[in-house]
Amino acid sequence: MILLVMLLTVMPTQHIQSSTDNNMQVNLLTDVFSKPKFDAVTQQEVISFAKRFIGVPYRYGATSPSQGFDCSGYVYYVFKNFDIDLPRSSSAIGQAGKEVDLDHAKAGDIILFTGTNPAKRSIGHVGIVLSNDPSKELHFIHASSGKAQAVTQTLLAGTYKRRFMKVIRVL
């Protein structure tokens, strides 16, 4: 019995088989006790949580609602709430997840842009897709250092369309 308890604490997400004295097999599934990870998170949960911070001021280098957010700090904070670890910089976030076509982007995906100079084709801004209805333009939420100077919802049009780099999926 002590050995079995030790195995359960050492290997909490493994399927363990042990035999009793009368050679009956006892199956123990220990992953019942493990904390659910991001595969259980829905797109709507991410979006609902992300929208809570609309209006929080933009602040370079900040990663919390009390201090403000920069773009990558905001995305980092939202996904961290669901135990999804992302890098802290927008360029590094661009290396995470699986790339998806813009036409197939959906709520909860991460959208990446150039910095403020669209001629420099390297990732410098990041947000979260809110919706991508084929009859409408894609909408995303982000911490903007531009006119809004806060977390805001934006249509993928104009300057942002020119600055678009890619969409990645981490959910």
Side-chain angles (χ1 to χ4, degrees):
M1 182 67 172
I2 292 173
L3 177 61
L4 184 58
V5 171
M6 287 174 52
L7 284 173
L8 287 174
T9 58
V10 173
M11 301 169 21
T13 60
Q14 302 258 337
H15 178 79
I16 304 169
Q17 251 184 8
S18 65
S19 59
T20 61
D21 289 340
N22 59 5
N23 291 327
M24 290 176 36
Q25 294 293 317
V26 178
N27 292 320
L28 300 170
L29 292 173
T30 58
D31 59 352
V32 172
F33 301 107
S34 65
K35 183 178 179 184
K37 285 294 192 184
F38 63 87
D39 58 316
V41 174
T42 67
Q43 299 158 334
Q44 194 54 50
E45 287 173 314
V46 171
I47 296 309
S48 294
F49 184 74
K51 286 182 174 182
R52 290 183 192 176
F53 306 104
I54 291 173
V56 171
Y58 178 88
R59 182 169 175 214
Y60 181 78
T63 60
S64 73
S66 62
Q67 295 181 340
F69 293 109
D70 67 10
C71 66
S72 58
Y74 172 66
V75 171
Y76 173 87
Y77 183 86
V78 168
F79 283 93
K80 184 75 170 167
N81 181 69
F82 299 100
D83 292 329
I84 301 171
D85 291 321
L86 291 174
R88 178 54 189 89
S89 72
S90 56
S91 59
I93 289 172
Q95 303 304 311
K98 178 183 175 193
E99 190 168 347
V100 296
D101 290 334
L102 181 60
D103 293 340
H104 296 106
K106 55 187 181 181
D109 286 344
I110 297 172
I111 187 165
L112 298 122
F113 303 91
T114 67
T116 54
N117 179 359
K120 186 177 176 190
R121 300 303 295 171
S122 60
I123 294 171
H125 188 64
V126 62
I128 302 168
V129 175
L130 291 174
S131 63
N132 192 18
D133 185 331
S135 65
K136 301 176 184 174
E137 291 288 333
L138 181 143
H139 285 82
F140 64 100
I141 189 167
H142 60 126
S144 173
S145 64
K147 189 176 180 180
Q149 286 287 308
V151 174
T152 188
Q153 298 178 61
T154 304
L155 179 68
L156 181 61
T159 302
Y160 282 107
K161 199 162 200 163
R162 287 189 297 277
R163 291 172 54 194
F164 173 77
M165 295 284 291
K166 67 180 178 176
V167 174
I168 61 166
R169 183 163 297 148
V170 296
L171 294 177

